Amino acid sequence: MQEDYIKLIFGLKLKQIRTDKKLSLFGLSKLSGLSKSYLNEIENGKKYPKPDKIAILSEKLDVPYDQMVSLKLDKNLAPIGDLLQSKILKEIPLELFGIKESNLIDIVANAPAKVNAFISTIIKIAKNYNFSRESFFLASVRSFQEANNNYFEDLEQSVLKFAKAYQVDLDQTVRSQDLKEILVEEFGYTILDNELSNYDALGKLRSLFVPKTKTLLLSNEIDEAQRNFIFAKELAYNFLDIKERLYTFPWIKFDTFDQVLNNFYASYFAGALIIPSAKIKAKLSAVFEKDTFDANLFLEAINSFNGSPESFYQRLTNILPKAFNIQNLFFLRFTHKANSNKFYLTKELHLSHQQSPHANETNEHYCRRWVSLQKLKDISLGNNTHEFDVQISNYQDDGVKYLVLSSATKDPFRDNHYRSISVGLLINKQLQRKLNFLEDSNIATQNVGVTCERCAITDCKVREVPAIFLEKKAKNENMAAIVATLNSKFS
């Protein structure tokens, strides 16, 4: 992009100088003797003039030659230059989102002032919300998932090819020992189980891969489901021939967007290997065909795979849109510490155009009526290893209802910490056609909000704080109504 960048910068500078001097393209053409079409191509970043042409423009516009050819932009256009030269544009494969670099250059060239204002606004928002480069990369991957309904046929087919090549029976439960054998025998791995636990500073790190010696170090605290997922991800990296990758799980830091994207690809492959498409579709069909919701049957479906409840719920977001045409859904993961009234939304995915619920970055209090938070409280106060419930959440302000399935489990790496995983399915005609049990009267319906600060429910017994934003809005509306009355009275 460097050559295009140089052309574009010169064009932006020429256009700014011309407009500052109140010259039209026609006027500059008359002044310089260069054709109007040629000057237009220069300003749009299509051509870079030869030195003699630059000298003519420098003389006629009364601007030093060195200033004309410098890549330095003044403060009004500097954000555009920063963006075009930033690593972000070089690292993010724009083609994922159907964007060509040439399209980006055309947009900037045609409306530099507006683009600059937009970029400056985004930068200010990012700073105010502490939106880091990592956050930008992760948000980009989520957008990529949402644009594809979180279903990737090529990865699904890769799993089937892998299973055939290594004779993994996907009709049977996939075991970590079987995956470990393939890593060792086929890909030359050395796997050490206890090394990571010797270093307290590594905290919740579950695995570390050392590429030079193909050594996989594991924490001795991981359970069978976690071990299975780690091995499946390593097999994905090898079978898909992924070079640009992360070496720790969970990740500590990443250097490029490709690492983040490839981490997603490997995770998707691992989920599809451990929870095969055909098997989970059959399990879900059995649940959906019943006239009443059978919680035991749903839990049996989760437990029939050698994976965590989180992996199962993640897999729902792949399978439901494709196999059942249930495309309006959300996925949420909350974390919670026992004896605390704080809940943190640590992961979300939305395959829906609805606005609720979404993460809130202003430290507001998430609605305590959500089943995901209720289950977190239940598991933190009891002795169960898995709390599950289903709820119809009625978002009155938005006029939508979701069927929400939620599981809460203990965090295996932090004492007195718990997590809940939820999938919400938008209740519409399509969902009614696919789920026979949707009219089951035993499924509780709960009016919910998003945060207490913005919730209009007046009789809520679990409200943490007053609806201060709604109170402020009502106050302003009342003031506006009085002002309107006074204007009318004294007009």
Side-chain angles (χ1 to χ4, degrees), residues 290-307:
K290 285 186 167 290
D291 292 332
T292 57
F293 180 71
D294 190 333
N296 290 328
L297 190 61
F298 185 77
L299 291 173
E300 188 275 325
I302 295 177
N303 295 327
S304 64
F305 300 98
N306 189 17

Side-chain angles (χ1 to χ4, degrees), residues 397 452-457 463 467-475:
D397 291 344
C452 294
E453 286 82 348
R454 302 172 191 271
C455 181
I457 298 174
R463 178 184 290 278
I468 54 176
F469 286 101
L470 294 186
E471 291 172 359
K472 182 178 180 180
K473 180 181 177 182
K475 182 178 179 181

Side-chain angles (χ1 to χ4, degrees), residues 138-340:
L138 291 169
S140 297
V141 170
R142 283 198 301 272
S143 296
F144 177 54
Q145 292 175 254
E146 292 165 7
N148 289 277
N149 278 327
N150 204 29
Y151 181 83
F152 296 87
E153 181 63 30
D154 55 338
L155 293 175
E156 299 283 347
Q157 292 300 318
S158 293
V159 167
L160 297 179
K161 292 175 183 176
F162 172 85
K164 182 177 181 180
Y166 295 100
Q167 289 298 288
V168 177
D169 187 353
L170 297 182
D171 291 328
Q172 302 297 319
T173 302
V174 177
R175 302 292 180 186
S176 68
Q177 187 58 39
D178 299 327
L179 302 186
K180 178 180 180 180
E181 184 179 8
I182 299 172
L183 284 173
V184 173
E185 297 296 331
E186 184 69 16
F187 297 107
Y189 271 49
T190 298
I191 299 174
L192 302 178
D193 288 318
N194 300 314
E195 184 66 23
L196 290 186
S197 301
N198 294 327
Y199 304 91
D200 292 338
L202 293 181
K204 62 179 181 178
L205 199 67
R206 303 173 198 178
S207 69
L208 167 65
F209 179 65
V210 183
K212 187 175 182 179
T213 58
K214 287 192 172 182
T215 302
L216 181 63
L217 308 176
L218 301 175
S219 166
N220 60 8
E221 296 181 13
I222 59 175
D223 59 23
E224 168 63 13
Q226 292 163 342
R227 183 184 300 270
N228 210 28
F229 185 75
I230 290 168
F231 289 166
K233 276 189 73 174
E234 291 298 324
L235 287 169
Y237 283 129
N238 286 275
F239 188 73
L240 300 176
D241 195 27
I242 293 173
K243 305 299 183 186
E244 189 81 0
R245 57 161 289 182
L246 301 172
Y247 295 108
T248 63
F249 178 66
W251 59 269
I252 299 173
K253 70 180 186 71
F254 43 76
D255 300 312
T256 68
F257 178 75
D258 279 344
Q259 289 177 337
V260 183
L261 183 62
N262 289 335
N263 179 67
F264 163 69
Y265 285 150
S267 297
Y268 188 107
F269 182 101
L273 177 60
I274 295 168
I275 305 175
S277 175
K279 189 174 179 180
I280 189 175
K281 282 191 285 189
K283 296 287 184 182
L284 291 173
S285 294
V287 175
F288 294 169
E289 289 168 1
K290 285 186 167 290
D291 292 332
T292 57
F293 180 71
D294 190 333
N296 290 328
L297 190 61
F298 185 77
L299 291 173
E300 188 275 325
I302 295 177
N303 295 327
S304 64
F305 300 98
N306 189 17
S308 67
E310 180 167 352
S311 293
F312 183 86
Y313 280 78
Q314 286 271 22
R315 195 70 175 122
L316 290 181
T317 68
N318 308 141
I319 298 301
L320 291 176
K322 180 66 176 180
F324 297 91
N325 200 25
I326 299 173
Q327 298 183 1
N328 293 288
L329 58 84
F330 64 74
F331 170 95
L332 303 177
R333 179 180 69 197
F334 279 94
T335 59
H336 171 65
K337 184 179 180 180
N339 301 318
S340 167

